[in-house]
Amino acid sequence: MAHLGVGIGWRPEIADAVERLPGLDWVEVVAENVCPGHLPESLLRLRERGTRVVPHGVSLGLGGADRPDPAKLAALGERAVALGAPLVTEHIAFVRTSSPVLEAGHLLPVPRTRDALDVLCENVRIAQDALPVPLALENIAALFSWPGEELTEGQFLTELVERTGVRLLVDVANLHTNRVNRGEDPAAVLDAIPLEALAYVHVAGGVERDGVWHDTHAHPVPPVVLDLLAGLRSRVDPPGVLLERDDDFPPEAELAEELEAIRAVVTAGAGTAPPAPAGAVSAPAGTRPRPVEEPRPVEESARTRVALGQAALLSALVAGTPVPEGFDRRRIRVQARALAAKRADVVAKLAPELPSILGGPEPYREAFLSYAKSRPMKAGYRRDALDFTEDLLIRDLPADPAARRRLTAWWRDRAGAKPPRRIVRWARTLTGRAA
């Protein structure tokens, strides 16, 4: 892997500050948030001065039961080419189900079972064959565990690398999250996984509430996460380390201080990492490492079993169906509330007019969370904003006629039609239930 150095997640809200940060080596950008033909001027300026840009995908859902969407793979590859990226990254997670059609709007953990590993490995190979640059996958933060898991995190990641040659993006903040939420030992994970396959490292902040660690990316990096970075650095010299910050952005000086703290940990560990073991997975730049094992065909019955489990879980999280047997019900309730709150927040960012029309952030949030209890997301956040608005108008809300007229105008501008009458909506609902 190419040496990346110390970087930060590029976000529009801090674009100017990122350009001024001293000693910045590279940036990572959420792949779905940029258009290859219309890259932000800030990213173009960073590229012109030699700063590397890596696209980080969040919507492939390679851990899902379905094979990867060719259009999503093509879009990710286009962004890698447009940015001149040395690699692309994604997550070991599922984000949707196809039967029923449901979107989580969030990264959810895959079960660490043989079936799920077989499905993931085949999906990863499909993605690798479609992408123009190497792929690295990130371990995610989770609020809950799956019942009946057959492998540890270390075993799961190790087999994934051995069977596909995929690189790893190790998020040490997520290791801490899983220590608090799932009782997993970060040191045991770091000892078990093939760090010679390391592409780079993520560092981020979070907060603990009622015994649950929330990976917010909106808080300063805590000392415990920096300690995990130091522990990783004692084992290997990471090609890159990146600070993630997605909300509640601090002043520029604080971002610079956090980067300096990360750089100090990496520098302090210089010379302490042991050499890569013999037989380490490696390859020239621009290629993927040769898999240790030959590809194994995945039986459709395995995909079916994974699909059924993921559909039952996601339906409980976003559609209010019963929690599947074996899951921690309290944790599933926490996750369900978090998913609904995230939907509300993202829709408010995509459609900032809605809180204003509905009387402010609190009335908007109350209305959206009430809507979300019975209306799972099926086609992304932009469609969710339109569906939420349509739902309000069909119920003759908001009560204020002037606000309702404004909301109707907003909906028509974006949907190109007037909301369907109640009888049409009832027919849609009945048809959906029958299906």
Side-chain angles (χ1 to χ4, degrees):
M1 280 306 303
H3 181 77
L4 294 170
V6 175
I8 192 170
W10 184 93
R11 304 293 182 264
E13 297 89 339
I14 54 172
D16 292 341
V18 168
E19 289 188 60
R20 292 190 295 265
L21 287 171
L24 186 69
D25 298 312
W26 66 293
V27 299
E28 179 191 79
V29 61
V30 177
E32 290 80 356
N33 290 351
V34 295
C35 178
H38 302 87
L39 294 176
E41 291 295 326
S42 174
L43 283 181
L44 292 175
R45 287 192 294 269
L46 287 169
R47 285 199 61 209
E48 286 171 0
R49 74 188 201 195
T51 304
R52 279 184 165 159
V53 182
V54 173
H56 185 54
V58 297
S59 65
L60 266 184
L62 291 174
D66 295 323
R67 290 175 175 83
D69 182 344
K72 290 184 181 294
L73 286 172
L76 185 56
E78 288 171 1
R79 282 149 180 80
V81 172
L83 294 167
L87 77 162
V88 296
T89 58
E90 250 287 352
H91 300 83
I92 302 169
F94 82 99
V95 297
R96 65 182 63 85
T97 58
S98 58
S99 182
V101 177
L102 296 172
E103 286 277 347
H106 189 71
L107 303 165
L108 295 176
V110 301
R112 290 181 297 218
T113 61
R114 289 291 174 188
D115 280 347
L117 180 59
D118 288 346
V119 169
L120 173 64
C121 287
E122 184 172 88
N123 288 351
V124 167
R125 287 193 293 269
I126 292 170
Q128 288 172 315
D129 289 340
L131 293 168
V133 294
L135 171 69
L137 294 181
E138 177 181 352
N139 58 304
I140 71 163
L143 285 174
F144 59 88
S145 297
W146 283 76
E149 293 193 314
E150 300 165 330
L151 301 165
T152 65
E153 178 80 340
Q155 290 169 334
F156 194 86
L157 295 178
T158 297
E159 283 207 37
L160 173 64
V161 171
E162 289 176 346
R163 291 171 58 177
T164 67
V166 76
R167 293 168 168 83
L168 295 177
L169 192 180
V170 174
D171 190 316
V172 291
N174 291 350
L175 292 179
H176 174 65
T177 301
N178 295 339
R179 169 166 53 192
V180 176
N181 295 348
R182 303 202 286 186
E184 296 173 358
D185 180 6
V189 176
L190 292 177
D191 285 340
I193 62 177
L195 289 175
E196 65 273 12
L198 181 65
Y200 61 88
V201 180
H202 271 174
V203 178
V207 63
E208 186 171 351
R209 300 190 189 99
D210 300 324
V212 174
W213 186 269
H214 297 270
D215 182 44
T216 65
H217 294 191
H219 292 79
V221 178
V224 66
V225 171
L226 290 177
D227 288 343
L228 287 177
L229 176 62
L232 183 148
R233 180 66 184 87
S234 71
R235 294 167 169 83
V236 69
D237 182 7
V241 182
L242 183 120
L243 171 65
E244 288 188 294
R245 187 79 180 222
D246 294 323
D247 208 349
D248 289 342
F249 298 101
E252 183 177 332
E254 290 185 25
L255 287 176
E257 288 174 5
E258 287 209 289
L259 282 175
E260 188 53 39
I262 291 169
R263 188 176 288 107
V265 172
V266 174
T267 303
T272 63
V281 177
S282 60
T287 65
R288 67 172 177 175
R290 184 187 183 92
V292 175
E293 299 181 10
E294 290 299 315
R296 306 174 189 173
V298 177
E299 297 180 1
E300 286 304 311
S301 59
R303 284 193 180 272
T304 299
R305 288 189 292 270
V306 172
L308 290 172
Q310 291 180 347
L313 172 62
L314 187 51
S315 182
L317 288 170
V318 303
T321 58
V323 177
E325 190 67 29
F327 283 95
D328 184 322
R329 283 172 166 74
R330 185 182 75 86
R331 288 296 176 90
I332 296 300
R333 286 194 296 271
V334 171
Q335 182 72 82
R337 288 195 297 270
L339 291 179
K342 181 178 180 180
R343 280 176 69 186
D345 291 343
V346 174
V347 166
K349 286 183 178 180
L350 290 174
E353 303 90 350
L354 294 180
S356 174
I357 294 172
L358 297 177
E362 289 307 315
Y364 157 78
R365 192 175 185 83
E366 181 180 351
F368 189 92
L369 293 179
S370 175
Y371 152 83
K373 288 179 181 178
S374 59
R375 294 292 306 277
M377 182 167 58
K378 296 183 178 181
Y381 288 110
R382 297 186 187 280
R383 183 70 249 177
D384 208 20
L386 292 173
D387 289 346
F388 166 57
T389 304
E390 179 184 307
D391 184 73
L392 290 175
L393 293 173
I394 287 171
R395 294 188 290 121
D396 292 328
L397 295 174
D400 176 48
R404 197 160 60 249
R405 286 194 296 270
R406 289 177 60 201
L407 191 63
T408 300
W410 184 92
W411 191 92
R412 283 176 175 166
D413 284 346
R414 289 152 183 82
K418 68 178 182 179
R421 293 172 297 158
R422 282 194 183 89
I423 192 169
V424 176
R425 179 57 175 277
W426 290 338
R428 287 182 183 175
T429 302
L430 290 172
T431 302
R433 287 175 180 170

